[in-house]
């Protein structure tokens, strides 16, 4: 009985040690817990046949590797990724747009979408709160700017403290929301129609 108690106590101790594991140099993992459809319908009227070329976003954040912080204890614990946030975000916006019904192409688009990543971050206190913000530019084939604006997406998530999986879920859901808000933006919609 004593051996079993000691084993359970050791398991609990190792569990808490794992929970406080340093999250430096972690990969970015696509792990949404929501579906794009949950955010509501997207009106593709007049834009479903437009060839949309999404160029790689650029990351203009001061610290491109920093993607989250846990503020539950002092000192603040950071979450650092080894992956390219701009490539991750670009790929999943492309994927989401395609699944939504847009005609996304790698080259030769009727319109070209580019963006500057201003925010890609999760703050954790008693819950995970994520925000993704991109300053988006839409141009025609001649390079004329058709529209510029800020698109953002956020997500809130509960989970165990300082867990990589919960950061992944929160960021992924925020990207889905960003894509949805961009597709529902009247300015973005009009720019695609007016190419």
């Amino acid at each position: 009985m004593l051996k079993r108690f000691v084993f359970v106590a050791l398991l609990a101790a190792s569990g808490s040690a794992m929970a406080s594991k340093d999250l430096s140099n972690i990969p970015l993992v696509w792990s949404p817990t929501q579906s794009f459809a949950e955010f509501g319908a997207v009106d593709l009227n007049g834009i479903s046949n437009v060839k949309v070329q999404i160029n790689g976003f650029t990351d203009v954040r001061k610290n491109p590797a920093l993607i989250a912080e846990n503020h539950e204890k002092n000192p603040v614990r950071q979450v650092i990724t080894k992956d390219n946030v701009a490539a991750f975000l670009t790929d999943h916006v492309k994927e989401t747009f395609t699944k939504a019904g847009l005609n996304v192409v790698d080259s030769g688009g009727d319109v070209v979408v580019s963006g500057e990543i201003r925010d890609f971050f999760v703050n954790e206190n008693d819950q995970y709160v994520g925000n993704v913000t991109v300053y988006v530019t839409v141009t025609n084939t001649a390079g004329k700017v058709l529209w510029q604006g800020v698109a953002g997406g956020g997500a809130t998530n509960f989970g165990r403290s300082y867990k990589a999986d919960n950061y992944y879920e929160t960021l992924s859901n925020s990207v889905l929301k960003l894509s949805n808000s961009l597709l529902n933006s009247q300015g973005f919609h009009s720019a695609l129609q007016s190419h």
Side-chain angles (χ1 to χ4, degrees), residues 107-185:
S107 60
D110 298 319
V111 295
V112 177
V113 179
S114 57
E116 291 182 352
I117 301 167
R118 303 282 175 86
D119 197 10
F120 185 90
F121 200 74
V122 175
N123 267 307
E124 182 193 0
N125 279 304
D126 56 341
Q127 57 187 355
Y128 293 79
V129 179
N131 282 294
V132 177
T133 307
V134 179
Y135 183 73
V136 178
T137 300
V138 181
T139 61
N140 63 14
T141 52
K144 179 188 173 187
V145 174
L146 303 174
W147 179 79
Q148 288 181 309
V150 175
T156 303
N157 198 6
F158 289 96
R160 290 177 59 193
S161 179
Y162 198 60
K163 295 291 284 182
D165 287 348
N166 292 122
Y167 293 112
Y168 295 149
E169 290 166 0
T170 308
L171 285 168
S172 298
N173 289 343
S174 297
V175 173
L176 287 179
K177 183 65 179 169
L178 165 92
S179 299
N180 181 273
S181 68
L182 189 53
L183 287 173
N184 279 310
S185 159

